[in-house]
């Protein structure tokens, strides 16, 4: 298998962490690419017609894409139990919440990176950050019992989302008023898989 990969993407990192946690890392060749919203290399488009990463190129079937699909596939392949049936809907909801944090954060980053300074719309960035704030507050208020439970894909997604906020939007300080989540992340970020996949 081959993983179309960019280390800075939190969605790619989520898959990369799952590879570490499931013991499948040696079965996957990492294919580094550089993409932007305006330029998708041919190998990315060949694996995903939307031109987005991550994409997983399989030997036994067509490429699969969207990090949630890839994570489910890898978990099933390894029988790792990252999507336990007893907590499945909670895990999927937690993963969706984390993915939405990533999407909103990336939208802020792209607004500043790809627009001329005079065309940056601060109101748009504020709306996106509002989504992040509400989601982080909800994690802190309602999800700590789950986050402190056995490892699952929802936890991995949240860890990667918070890591991306630190990586790209540290000045916005998601930690303010979210002490329980801050404490959880301090421990979770020390996992070997998280340390091995830190963007730089």
């Amino acid at each position: 298998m081959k993983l179309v990969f960019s280390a800075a993407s939190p969605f790619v990192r989520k898959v990369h962490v799952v590879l570490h946690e499931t013991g499948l890392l040696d079965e996957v060749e990492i294919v580094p690419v550089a993409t932007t919203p305006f330029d998708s290399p041919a190998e990315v488009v060949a694996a995903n017609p939307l031109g987005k990463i991550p994409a997983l190129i399989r030997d036994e079937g067509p490429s699969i894409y969207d990090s949630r699909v890839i994570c489910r596939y890898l978990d099933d392949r390894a029988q790792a139990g990252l999507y336990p049936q007893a907590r499945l809907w909670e895990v999927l909801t937690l993963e969706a919440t984390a993915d939405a944090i990533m999407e909103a954060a990336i939208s802020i980053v792209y607004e500043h990176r790809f627009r001329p300074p005079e065309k940056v719309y601060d109101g748009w960035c504020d709306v996106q950050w509002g989504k992040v704030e509400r989601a982080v507050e909800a994690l802190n208020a309602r999800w700590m019992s789950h986050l402190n439970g056995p490892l699952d894909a929802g936890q991995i997604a949240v860890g990667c989302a918070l890591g991306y906020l630190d990586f790209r939007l540290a000045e916005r300080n998601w930690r303010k008023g979210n002490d329980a989540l801050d404490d959880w992340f301090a421990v979770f970020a020390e996992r070997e898989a998280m340390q091995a996949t830190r963007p730089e």
Side-chain angles (χ1 to χ4, degrees):
M1 295 183 290
K2 297 179 180 180
L3 179 65
V4 184
F5 179 97
S6 173
S9 164
F11 295 103
V12 172
R13 186 185 187 192
K14 183 171 66 160
V15 172
H16 203 193
V17 170
V18 167
L19 285 172
H20 279 271
E21 296 285 2
T22 57
L24 293 176
L25 191 62
D26 291 341
E27 296 186 24
V28 177
E29 176 187 346
I30 301 298
V31 182
V33 296
T35 66
T36 74
F38 302 103
D39 181 28
S40 296
E43 60 265 44
V44 177
V45 175
N48 177 355
L50 300 172
K52 299 173 73 174
I53 54 173
L56 186 69
I57 301 169
R58 302 181 297 163
D59 299 326
E60 73 279 13
S63 301
I64 58 175
Y65 44 86
D66 186 279
S67 63
R68 279 181 265 189
V69 175
I70 298 171
C71 288
R72 288 291 295 270
Y73 171 80
L74 294 173
D75 178 66
D76 184 73
R77 185 181 179 107
Q79 293 296 292
L82 294 177
Y83 293 89
Q85 191 61 41
R87 304 193 314 278
L88 181 60
W89 303 116
E90 290 78 10
V91 171
L92 293 176
T93 300
L94 196 56
E95 186 177 11
T97 301
D99 283 4
I101 290 171
M102 297 178 200
E103 289 164 1
I106 288 171
S107 183
I108 295 171
V109 171
Y110 282 1
E111 183 73 12
H112 288 276
R113 182 172 296 170
F114 295 110
R115 284 186 184 274
E118 69 276 10
K119 292 188 176 181
V120 169
Y121 182 21
D122 290 332
W124 172 258
C125 294
D126 291 343
V127 167
Q128 300 308 311
W129 187 251
K131 296 176 185 178
V132 173
E133 284 187 318
R134 291 192 301 274
V136 169
E137 288 168 3
L139 292 173
N140 186 77
R142 301 198 293 268
W143 286 93
M144 294 315 304
S145 176
H146 186 112
L147 289 172
N148 285 307
L151 180 68
D152 61 36
Q155 294 172 355
I156 291 170
V158 170
C160 292
L162 298 179
Y164 188 75
L165 296 180
D166 282 348
F167 179 52
R168 293 297 195 202
L169 299 170
E171 73 283 356
R172 289 185 177 260
N173 190 17
W174 65 265
R175 290 173 169 80
K176 185 177 180 181
N178 297 299
D179 295 345
L181 188 61
D182 183 14
D183 291 344
W184 173 83
F185 182 63
V187 175
F188 192 82
E190 293 301 315
R191 292 185 70 88
E192 183 177 342
M194 291 293 288
Q195 288 292 311
T197 59
R198 282 186 67 177
E200 296 179 359

